[in-house]
Amino acid sequence: TAQVYPEWASLRITFPPEVELGPEPLILKEELIAMATRFAGANVNVWGFGPGFARGGGPAPSFYLQVLGYNYNEVKRIAEEVGRTLQRNVRVRDVETSSALWYGRGDLSEILLVLNRQQLSRYGLTPAEVLRKLESFIRASPRWQRLKIQREEVDYRVKIRGYRDFTVHDLQALVLRSAGQEVIRMSDVATISERKVLARIVREHQQYQRWITFEFRGPWHMGNRLVDNLIRNTHLPPGYVLQRPEFLFLQKEEQRQVQGILLLALLLVFMVTAALYESLLHPFVILLTVPLGLVGVFWIFYLTGTPFDRSAYIGVILLGGIVVNNAIVLVDHINRLRRTTTNWRQAVIAGCAERVRPILMTTATTVFGMLPLVLFVESKQGIWYSLALATIGGLSVSSVLVLTVCPSLYALFEGIRRRWA
């Protein structure tokens, strides 16, 4: 389906189920990316299977893994071993075991020079002589020096302008002279290679951490199963952990804000219902219905295999206000019946029976109103899909539990109040 406008255009491709898991979508995406790179003067984006592509930048990884341990080299070895396992999967691309995430640049590398001492002895050279020649070539001293400035000691190194202007090939071709004035190359006495390094060494609870990122070429739930199997089947030494990161959709500051909003919402509900019923026990019956809604939220996200993202969190906050409405309707009707009868247990049973229909009708209208956002939404990654899914799952389960658990809690609290009265 194509849409063309004076300033922009879009092309949407929908695959039938029989080819959705095959190679056709991936092949077509690669062809579109190759075509997009040839456009000039226009911003082009390609997305669908896996992360998107934007002209001028590379794709972001679609999955993250975290390795934790107390030995830096062992953590590195585990990460590289997991990376090699991932690379054997034909759907996995761009495996990175030195990902820095937000800790700075992720494309840093270092040049590793390993001297061959047997070759040095053969040519009559010492490591110190090679080091001096290397210092003059790269116009920088690898040694740290110390200078006292205003009673504070400061470490420094002297580097001459242009010290970065050389390649690994230039370093390999560096001319050295043996003890017999024989001309040799640096590559004759040393092995030189370039390897990626972490932009920053980070520890969490005194454990070194290392990130593994990769792109999975296919549906999210297939990649999710791959990660689960990898974590389950990777054998680690005692004290080392391979896990999913905990920063999937909310940072610590955002978590504190959401928690504060939830606590404030519950406090306002408690204050309003306490003033309405002139009781401190009945508001607790209403507030305890909120966890009942969470049961349905977890259940529906588990069955559908949908990731719990920011939109789902918004749905939970929305759900908290809807779920308590059913409990308020039930508790208020029970209190009204108690004014006309002396048997409070009979009032609880009658109130619950008489409010089954209104509660189920309210739930049905809300669920059917949200259902189009789940069935007919274009992308499951959008804000409306997760929000509607959380509301539907939580409200459907909580409505049944409110009619069973809420009267039981009401009777329990009322019995406790009468015993202490």
Side-chain angles (χ1 to χ4, degrees), residues 23 32 74 162 197 206 239 259 304 312 356 375 395 397:
L32 290 174
E74 183 67 14
V197 294
Q206 301 303 315
Q259 292 169 1
T304 58
V356 170
L375 298 179
L395 194 57
V397 174

Side-chain angles (χ1 to χ4, degrees), residues 16 33 69 76 86 93 124 180 211 214 275 286 300 383-384 398 411 414:
I33 291 175
K76 178 183 177 183
L86 287 169
R93 294 280 299 274
W211 297 98
F214 65 95
I286 295 172
I300 196 168
I383 179 175
W384 302 114
S398 68
E414 186 64 23

Side-chain angles (χ1 to χ4, degrees), residues 53-313:
F53 165 84
R55 187 176 63 83
S62 52
F63 286 93
Y64 301 82
L65 285 170
Q66 184 185 39
V67 184
L68 293 173
Y70 293 99
N71 184 283
Y72 177 83
N73 293 325
E74 183 67 14
V75 169
K76 178 183 177 183
R77 183 195 67 80
I78 294 172
E80 292 175 347
E81 182 178 337
V82 173
R84 287 191 292 269
T85 303
L86 287 169
Q87 288 173 343
R88 289 195 288 268
N89 191 303
V90 294
R91 286 184 175 267
V92 172
R93 294 280 299 274
D94 300 330
V95 179
E96 181 60 69
T97 60
S98 299
S99 178
L101 297 184
W102 52 76
Y103 293 119
R105 292 175 54 191
D107 58 348
L108 298 179
S109 61
E110 66 180 5
I111 296 177
L112 180 66
L113 187 145
V114 180
L115 294 175
N116 188 328
R117 294 186 178 272
Q118 292 183 350
Q119 289 293 94
L120 289 177
S121 300
R122 175 185 172 185
Y123 292 111
L125 292 173
T126 63
E129 293 173 340
V130 177
L131 183 60
R132 286 194 296 269
K133 184 67 175 178
L134 185 63
E135 289 180 13
S136 62
F137 173 74
I138 63 176
R139 297 187 287 276
S141 172
R143 303 184 185 90
W144 286 97
Q145 302 182 45
R146 184 164 294 181
L147 180 67
K148 182 176 287 188
I149 301 177
Q150 295 181 352
R151 299 182 180 179
E152 284 191 25
E153 292 187 345
V154 179
D155 293 329
Y156 73 96
R157 284 192 295 182
V158 176
K159 298 181 180 181
I160 303 174
R161 180 180 300 174
Y163 71 97
R164 294 179 182 270
D165 299 337
F166 69 92
T167 64
V168 174
H169 179 73
D170 296 334
L171 191 57
Q172 291 173 337
L174 177 63
V175 176
L176 303 174
R177 290 192 178 274
S178 65
Q181 298 301 309
E182 180 183 358
V183 176
I184 59 176
R185 304 289 181 180
M186 179 68 78
S187 58
D188 295 330
V189 296
T191 301
I192 304 172
S193 60
E194 186 175 0
R195 64 182 181 184
K196 292 185 176 181
V197 294
L198 295 174
R200 179 181 177 188
I201 297 177
V202 181
R203 289 195 293 180
E204 179 179 328
H205 303 300
Q206 301 303 315
Q207 288 183 304
Y208 291 101
Q209 65 175 231
R210 201 174 188 95
W211 297 98
I212 305 170
T213 62
F214 65 95
E215 178 188 350
F216 184 79
R217 313 299 294 272
W220 184 88
H221 65 272
M222 291 184 61
N224 191 47
R225 287 203 299 267
L226 171 66
V227 172
D228 290 338
N229 292 332
L230 185 64
I231 294 176
R232 185 168 53 251
N233 298 323
T234 301
H235 301 286
L236 301 173
Y240 293 84
V241 178
L242 175 64
Q243 63 183 12
R244 292 175 179 267
E246 299 179 354
F247 58 86
L248 290 179
F249 55 91
L250 286 179
Q251 302 301 326
K252 291 183 178 180
E253 182 63 28
E254 294 176 322
Q255 289 180 355
R256 285 194 293 267
Q257 292 177 0
V258 172
Q259 292 169 1
I261 292 172
L262 288 174
L263 290 176
L264 180 60
L266 294 176
L267 179 61
L268 292 175
V269 171
F270 179 84
M271 293 172 61
V272 171
T273 52
L276 178 65
Y277 299 136
E278 297 181 355
S279 170
L280 296 178
L281 289 178
H282 294 166
F284 279 111
V285 177
I286 295 172
L287 290 179
L288 288 176
T289 59
V290 176
L292 302 180
L294 296 179
V295 174
V297 173
F298 298 146
W299 173 74
I300 196 168
F301 273 86
Y302 173 76
L303 291 183
T304 58
T306 305
F308 196 87
D309 54 11
R310 298 169 183 261
S311 305
Y313 236 118

